[in-house]
Every structure is written in structure tokens, then in C-alpha cells.
């Protein structure tokens, strides 16, 4: 492929204290794609997301964003390069109201969604703008966590299990949101346990096991690889 | 002369005012401690010494440079704040990954060193600082005479506390500070330079202590021990108010000052211990403090 990938992860190792979690992770994400990381609990999906963002204790290898090496950068500088994380625990701040939560991440580049667009995508957030962030329902908190990284101008969004623990109707809404932001040209790296959901939004799937990428399955080939996938995920 | 509960009115109001003045200093000092503790997780034992430095810088500005009170009110916090900035960058920032105890030891040691240096240079008897001419004299309130300077200190302290509260609760910068207090790594992952914010927060808390020091200079004599005489009570205020709570520090600061003042009138023997009695009662009934969030 002549085109440079938007994100290229090479031989990525990461540690939490003494425990070695990632053992040489390799994958790429191209601009405009939605790519998932699938795998069982403890395979290293969340750690991969945190390592890209610079939030692990120690990391080695290479993470290039639009060709620039970010392995040695501080988290705030990685964010300023144009990568944004929606963490697994959502990270809604209890001491901030909904609007303050929404406006907290600084704008790092032009091209983010403006507030009217965000409120059109997530009408609940406007209605509840003065509520304390953590008083929202789980689904609303997830919407807020996604919404607040859409306005910063970051073009690569790392969404860590956005559907975890949510009712099916909310999961569908999040699916619509991800397709909508893909249509707007955002690139998404998605961690999922639920590959049926992942299949409705993604272009390609990477499968992780024991801190490594073990397979890559294009979404079109998903049905023919069902057997293999069941084995990987143990479902 | 009128009496209240058998106590002459002027005596009662005099002690109330004294309590209010002490409370004003408790509030301003514990406010800075609360902000610093919230974000840095460091109990800044050097706070009293930095308060004292504020008073000394005001005295030095006047005696060495001929710069008066009003400019000192601006310059002393800036100078001491800059000193705090250097302390945070060179020493305190090395401790964030270690146990709380190290931060306590370091700042306690810093307090001793700073106080020792000033004692070495200026002795411990204390030096007078003139009340600025605009605030000399007293006003007859009908029921008592209010020294103008003391009235000014109470008003200034209230304004400072209110401004700090507004800054933290109502502005974008304050929202960022509150968020970083909750989850600093995530705020940094959003692109905020958290280490710089931590440094500036420490400097800001320190500047607040220095500002209190300048306000205190004309009331208490400027001496190297003026901080340590306050700081024990201030720590009690922070614990009673709830570690890290802004509102808690301010209300508890003024409240305890007044309780202390009233105790001096009704039962003088207990005036030195009443604060700690209150602290014991609060800790027994609400371990997180009056305004603290239960952990």
C-alpha cells in the first residue's frame, strides 16, 4: 500500500509496574477506517489503548501517528497530535456538570464538531446540561464520554468498550453514532467484547491474545471466519 | 455599660472581632492548603513558613526598597509564589510517586529551614509593621469601636475567599482543576499540561498564604514564628472542614475563629484547646470532615 497508515503500531510492549502486559503488538489503522480490537478479557486490548495514549507505566516499540513517532511523548502531547481516548470506565467527572464535562477537553485542532451538531447527535446532553456528570444514566454517560472527544478536533478516536453494560437500545444508538462519525471522516479504533456489535460498524477486526495480535479479519470475511473467531473469543 | 450573659458588651464584641480576624487568617491559609492537597495530594507543612515569608517580604520591601503596603499586597504574593514555584519544580515534584509521608517530611523540613534562616537573620523578637495611613484609626459602630485596619482584614479575607471559590467553581480553569483533582491522568490524556498546572496550583496556594502574611504584618509583629503559631489550628481547620474542600475550609476557618474568641470570653482556660475538642468531636461523628466527601 502506497498510502501511509494513520496509526502504525510496531512491536509495542507495555508494562504496569512489574507486570509485562503487551508482548509486541503490531497493527495499523488507515484514515477513515473503523477498526476493532477483539479478544478475551485480559488479552491486552485496553492496555493497547492506554499505551497509545501514553497512560501505561512503561512502553517500548513504535507508535507512529501520521508518520510521527509518539512512543516517548507525554499524554498531553499525544492528545495535541490529534488522538483522543474515550476510556472504558468512561471517566465522567463527578465534580463537573454535564456542560463542564463536555467542554473540558481542550480543542487541539480545527475540524471538531461544534456544539449545535453535538447536541443534535446527543439531544439528552442538552436537556441535562446542568446535571452533575455522574448523575446521568450509564447510556447518557457513555454518550457524554464520546461527545466530549468529538469537539476537540482529534481525528483518531480510541473508544474502549463503549457498549459495555448498556441496554440493547442504547447499544444500537451507539452503533448509529459510530457510523455517523465515520461518515464525517473520523477514524475509530474500537475495543469490543461483543463481535456481533463490532460487525455492524467496523471495516476490519484484529484479534488479540496474550498481549499480541494473532489475526486480522476483514469485516466482509467475518461470516466465513466464524468458527475461528468463536475459538479465539471462547464464546 | 450593657452586658450580655453577665459579660460586658465591649469585651464580648472585642473578643468576637479578634476571633473573626483569626478566623480570616485560618480561612485564607486553609483555603490554600485545601487546593494544594486536592491536586497534589501533599499536606503542605511549609504553609505557615510561607505565610511568614509573605509578612517578611512586605517588611523587606518597605525597609529596603521603600515600597509600601499596597504594592506589597501585590508584590509579596508574586515573590513568594515564585519561590513556591521553584520549590515545587526542584523538590516537591520528585515525591508524587512516593508515599504521602515523604511529602509531609519534606515540607515540614522546609518549614524548619525557612524559619531557621529568618530567625538567624532577624532574631525572634519580631519587628513592627506600620498600619498604612489610609487604614489607621477606628470607627465607632455604636456598640463598639472597630479599628479600621481590622475591619479591612475581615473584608479583604472574605473577598479573597469568595474570589478563590468563584475561580474554582465557576470558571473553565476551575473545572479543569476539579477534574484533575479527580483523575489527573485522564485530564492529561485530553491534552492538558497537568504537570504545569500542578506547579502553578502550588504557586497559587503559596501566593495566597503570602497574601495572608502581608495582611497579618500590621496586626501581629513580623517574626519568624508567626506562621507556626497559626499552622496547628489551620491544620485542625482543614481536618474539620474536610480535606480538600474549599467551602469547608472557609466556613470552618471563620467559624473556629469565632468559637475560639467566644471561648476566651466565657471560659478562657479552654481557649487554646477548644479547636481540638471540636476536631475530636467532628472526627468521631463525621470522619471525612464537615464538608468532606466520604472516601
Amino acid at each position: 500500500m502506497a498510502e501511509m497508515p494513520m496509526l502504525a503500531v510496531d512491536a509495542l510492549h507495555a508494562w504496569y509496574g512489574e507486570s509485562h502486559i503487551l508482548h509486541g503488538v503490531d497493527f495499523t489503522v488507515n484514515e477513515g477506517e473503523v477498526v476493532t480490537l477483539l479478544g478475551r478479557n485480559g488479552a491486552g486490548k485496553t492496555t493497547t489503548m492506554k499505551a497509545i495514549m501514553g497512560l501505561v507505566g512503561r512502553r517500548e516499540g513504535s507508535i507512529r501517528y501520521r508518520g510521527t513517532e509518539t512512543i516517548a511523548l507525554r499524554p498531553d502531547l499525544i492528545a495535541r497530535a490529534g488522538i483522543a481516548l474515550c476510556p472504558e470506565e468512561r471517566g465522567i467527572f463527578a465534580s463537573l456538570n454535564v456542560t463542564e464535562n463536555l467542554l473540558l477537553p481542550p480543542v487541539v485542532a480545527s475540524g471538531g464538531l461544534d456544539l449545535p451538531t453535538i447536541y443534535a447527535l446527543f439531544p439528552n446532553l442538552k436537556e441535562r446540561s446542568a446535571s452533575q456528570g455522574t448523575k446521568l444514566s450509564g447510556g447518557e454517560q457513555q454518550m457524554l464520554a464520546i461527545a466530549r472527544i468529538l469537539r476537540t478536533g482529534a481525528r483518531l478516536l480510541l473508544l474502549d468498550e463503549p457498549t459495555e453494560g448498556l441496554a440493547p437500545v442504547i447499544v444500537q444508538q451507539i452503533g448509529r453514532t459510530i457510523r455517523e462519525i465515520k461518515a464525517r471522516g473520523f477514524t475509530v479504533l474500537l475495543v469490543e467484547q461483543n463481535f456481533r456489535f463490532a460487525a455492524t460498524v467496523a471495516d476490519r477486526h484484529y484479534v488479540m491474545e496474550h498481549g499480541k495480535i494473532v489475526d486480522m479479519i476483514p469485516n466482509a470475511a467475518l461470516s466465513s471466519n466464524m468458527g475461528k473467531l468463536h475459538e479465539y473469543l471462547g464464546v | 455599660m450593657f452586658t450580655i450573659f453577665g459579660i460586658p458588651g465591649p469585651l464580648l464584641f472585642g473578643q468576637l472581632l479578634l476571633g473573626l480576624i483569626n478566623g480570616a487568617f485560618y480561612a485564607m491559609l486553609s483555603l490554600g492548603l485545601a487546593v494544594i492537597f486536592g491536586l497534589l495530594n501533599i499536606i503542605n507543612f511549609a504553609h505557615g513558613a510561607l505565610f511568614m515569608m509573605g509578612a517578611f517580604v512586605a517588611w523587606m520591601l518597605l525597609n529596603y526598597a521603600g515600597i509600601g503596603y499596597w504594592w506589597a499586597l501585590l508584590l509579596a504574593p508574586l515573590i513568594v509564589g515564585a519561590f513556591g514555584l521553584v520549590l515545587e519544580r526542584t523538590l516537591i515534584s520528585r515525591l508524587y510517586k512516593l508515599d504521602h509521608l515523604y511529602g509531609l517530611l519534606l515540607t515540614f523540613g522546609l518549614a524548619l529551614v525557612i524559619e531557621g534562616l529568618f530567625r538567624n537573620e532577624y532574631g525572634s523578637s519580631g519587628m513592627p509593621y506600620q498600619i498604612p495611613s489610609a487604614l489607621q484609626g477606628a470607627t465607632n459602630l455604636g456598640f463598639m469601636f472597630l479599628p479600621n485596619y481590622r475591619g479591612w482584614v475581615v473584608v479583604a479575607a472574605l473577598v479573597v475567599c469568595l474570589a478563590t471559590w468563584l475561580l474554582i467553581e465557576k470558571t473553565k480553569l476551575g473545572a479543569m482543576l476539579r477534574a484533575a483533582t479527580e483523575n489527573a491522568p485522564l485530564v492529561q490524556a485530553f491534552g492538558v499540561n497537568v504537570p504545569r498546572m500542578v506547579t502553578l496550583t502550588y504557586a497559587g496556594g503559596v501566593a495566597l498564604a503570602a497574601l495572608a502574611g502581608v495582611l497579618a504584618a500590621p496586626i501581629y509583629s513580623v517574626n519568624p514564628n508567626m506562621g507556626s503559631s497559626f499552622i496547628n489550628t489551620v491544620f485542625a481547620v482543614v481536618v474539620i472542614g474536610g480535606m480538600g474542600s474549599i467551602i469547608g475550609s472557609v466556613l470552618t476557618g471563620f467559624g473556629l475563629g469565632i468559637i475560639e474568641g467566644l471561648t476566651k470570653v466565657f471560659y478562657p482556660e479552654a481557649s487554646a484547646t477548644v479547636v481540638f475538642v471540636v476536631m475530636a468531636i467532628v472526627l468521631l461523628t463525621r470522619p471525612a470532615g464537615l464538608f468532606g466527601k466520604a472516601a
Side-chain angles (χ1 to χ4, degrees), chain A residues 21-85:
Chain A
I21 311 288
L22 300 184
H23 300 266
V25 173
D26 302 284
F27 67 94
T28 58
V29 180
N30 298 312
E31 184 142 24
E33 271 190 313
V34 174
V35 171
T36 64
L37 296 177
L38 301 173
R40 299 184 201 202
N41 272 329
K45 306 180 301 283
T46 293
T47 306
T48 304
M49 300 289 237
K50 288 191 167 169
I52 293 169
M53 217 62 236
L55 292 173
V56 291
R58 183 169 139 230
R59 53 191 190 142
E60 278 173 15
S62 166
I63 302 169
R64 285 190 310 278
Y65 177 70
R66 295 192 196 275
T68 309
E69 184 57 65
T70 65
I71 194 81
L73 291 185
R74 284 202 320 253
D76 50 314
L77 299 175
I78 295 171
R80 299 241 164 225
I83 308 180
L85 171 70

Side-chain angles (χ1 to χ4, degrees), chain A residues 53 55 74-76 79-80 83 85 87 89-97 100 103-106 108 148-149, chain B residues 168-172 174-180 182-195 293:
Chain A
M53 217 62 236
L55 292 173
R74 284 202 320 253
D76 50 314
R80 299 241 164 225
I83 308 180
L85 171 70
E89 68 286 356
R90 297 176 191 137
I92 301 301
F93 296 98
S95 53
L96 274 62
N97 67 30
E100 285 174 329
L103 299 181
L104 180 79
V108 298
R148 72 179 165 187
I149 59 173
Chain B
I168 291 175
E169 296 297 330
K170 299 290 165 201
T171 68
K172 183 101 208 280
M176 220 169 261
L177 196 76
R178 277 177 282 141
E182 261 185 70
N183 187 348
L186 183 59
V187 172
Q188 187 164 7
F190 284 146
V192 177
N193 188 340
V194 170
K293 292 181 197 88

Side-chain angles (χ1 to χ4, degrees), chain B residues 105-184:
Chain B
L105 280 174
L106 173 71
T107 54
F108 187 64
L110 282 173
L112 293 180
V113 170
I114 294 168
E115 283 173 5
L117 287 174
F118 277 92
R119 197 173 301 122
N120 204 35
E121 194 61 31
Y122 296 96
S124 48
S125 56
M127 287 155 327
Y129 189 97
Q130 197 84 46
I131 292 177
S133 52
L135 294 171
Q136 281 172 5
T139 307
N140 188 353
L141 297 179
F143 55 92
M144 68 178 289
F145 277 96
L146 173 70
N148 290 343
Y149 187 77
R150 301 194 165 211
W152 150 251
V153 166
V154 173
V155 172
L158 283 172
V159 169
V160 167
C161 291
L162 184 69
T164 309
W165 180 81
L166 284 174
L167 176 73
I168 291 175
E169 296 297 330
K170 299 290 165 201
T171 68
K172 183 101 208 280
L173 190 71
M176 220 169 261
L177 196 76
R178 277 177 282 141
T181 298
E182 261 185 70
N183 187 348

Side-chain angles (χ1 to χ4, degrees), chain A residues 25 27 43 56 66 84 86 90 95 112 116 126 130 134 136 140 152 157 166 189 204 207 212 228 233:
Chain A
V25 173
F27 67 94
V56 291
R66 295 192 196 275
C86 173
R90 297 176 191 137
S95 53
K126 189 169 192 181
T134 44
L136 299 184
E140 287 171 325
T152 66
L157 310 182
L166 298 178
L189 178 61
R204 293 187 295 134
V207 183
K212 281 187 181 142
K228 211 160 63 166
L233 302 178

